[in-house]
Each structure stands twice: as C-alpha cells, then as structure tokens.
Amino acid sequence: MLVKMLKLEDKKLMIDMIRLVAKMGDFYLEELLCRRLFKLDPDHLEYKSMLAEAVAELGRYKEAEELFRQYLEVQKTLLGDTHPSTLLTMNNVAKAVQVQGRYKEAEELFCQCLELQKTLLGEDHPSTLLTMSNVANAVQKQGRNKEAEEILRQCLEVQKTVLGE
C-alpha cells in the first residue's frame, strides 16, 4: 500500500492523502508523501511549506526552520513582505526557532510579524491576536513573566472588545 501511495502521480489525490495521514497522526508517512509531492512539482511553493510542517511534527525543528526560511524568502520575493501568507510563514519560522530554545530570536521574529499584522490586518484580527500571544509565550520563556502577563492581558482586552465578555 505504501509503495502504491508513493508512486502516485495525481497531485490532488496526494494532497488529500497527506491531509488524511496528518489527521491520523502518521507524520512519518505525511513527510514521505510531502517529499513525493514536492518531487513531482518542485516549483509549487506550498508543497515546501507542507513538507516543513510535516518535518516539524516529527520534531526535526532545525530542518523545519530551514525549509520555512527558504519558503519565506521566496514568498517575500513573489508576494512581498506584507502579504498575509508571508506573515504566516514568518510566524512558522519563529515557532520553529522557539521550540529550539532560541527564545530571544523567536520574540524578535514574532514582534516583527506582529507590527506588520497590526498595520495590515488591524489590532483585532485573529491572526494579530495569535501572534500577540506567541510574543507573550516567547517573553515568558525568557523568564519575563510580568511582561508576558501584560501582553496576554492586552490580547484578552482586545478579544473581549471584539467577541464580547
């Protein structure tokens, strides 16, 4: 069965299989299918991101970081620094950096992303709020608990304003 799956040429079917095995938690198979998909169409950038996500799920964060950074550079060139997809990938790079214990660097990346999101999407956009909580997490990991609490309180206040109590 695995051999048949890895010989598939139908990209849509492969994407469906990748989503299915990811939901099942088989990240090794997800990585294999992502690599096959990327091999079939290396010019399709989203496949590199899918591969990076699969590798991250396997705990290979350095490799995931490298893949996300490659994807980010291409996105910046094609879409620009301020495109929502570029900002999402920037967030993914920061998360990969954070899980490797490089909290200060992660904080800087999250903050850079947050400032762009506030300008482009607004302070009350869900992506902006998620990044704000990511900043707080990176700050907390550095032992700056009061500062992290303040950031989370700001995030909560915005959520209350948008969603209600």
Side-chain angles (χ1 to χ4, degrees):
M1 181 69 165
L2 176 60
V3 173
K4 282 185 181 179
M5 287 181 4
L6 293 176
K7 289 184 179 179
L8 288 173
E9 298 279 332
D10 182 340
K11 290 182 254 181
K12 183 182 177 340
L13 179 60
M14 288 200 65
I15 290 169
D16 290 343
M17 291 296 298
I18 289 166
R19 288 183 180 133
L20 175 65
V21 298
K23 284 183 181 179
M24 293 170 46
D26 190 342
F27 303 118
Y28 176 73
L29 183 53
E30 179 187 12
E31 178 194 3
L32 292 177
L33 290 169
C34 284
R35 287 192 186 280
R36 172 70 176 140
L37 185 61
F38 188 66
K39 187 176 181 182
L40 286 174
D41 190 358
D43 294 329
H44 196 290
L45 296 177
E46 185 65 26
Y47 299 162
K48 184 168 272 201
S49 177
M50 292 169 67
L51 176 58
E53 290 171 20
V55 169
E57 289 289 351
L58 290 167
R60 298 195 332 253
Y61 303 116
K62 181 66 178 159
E63 184 180 351
E65 177 192 349
E66 291 168 13
L67 289 166
F68 280 130
R69 283 188 187 276
Q70 291 169 12
Y71 184 49
L72 179 63
E73 290 311 309
V74 174
Q75 280 183 308
K76 284 180 176 181
T77 301
L78 295 177
L79 304 174
D81 291 354
T82 59
H83 191 279
S85 294
T86 305
L87 296 175
L88 176 62
T89 303
M90 186 183 295
N91 235 312
N92 287 337
V93 170
K95 284 190 257 182
V97 166
Q98 182 169 318
V99 295
Q100 293 176 72
R102 296 174 9 231
Y103 305 123
K104 181 66 177 161
E105 183 181 350
E107 178 190 358
E108 291 166 2
L109 287 167
F110 284 133
C111 285
Q112 181 183 1
C113 185
L114 179 62
E115 292 312 309
L116 290 168
Q117 286 175 322
K118 283 180 178 179
T119 302
L120 297 164
L121 305 173
E123 294 201 11
D124 59 352
H125 190 278
S127 295
T128 305
L129 295 171
L130 179 61
T131 302
M132 187 181 288
S133 69
N134 288 341
V135 170
N137 190 27
V139 167
Q140 186 273 327
K141 293 282 188 185
Q142 295 172 72
R144 296 171 15 226
N145 295 330
K146 273 227 179 279
E147 187 179 344
E149 180 182 353
E150 180 56 35
I151 294 167
L152 287 173
R153 286 186 187 281
Q154 290 172 9
C155 188
L156 180 61
E157 288 307 311
V158 174
Q159 287 176 337
K160 283 179 181 179
T161 302
V162 173
L163 302 173
E165 296 281 331

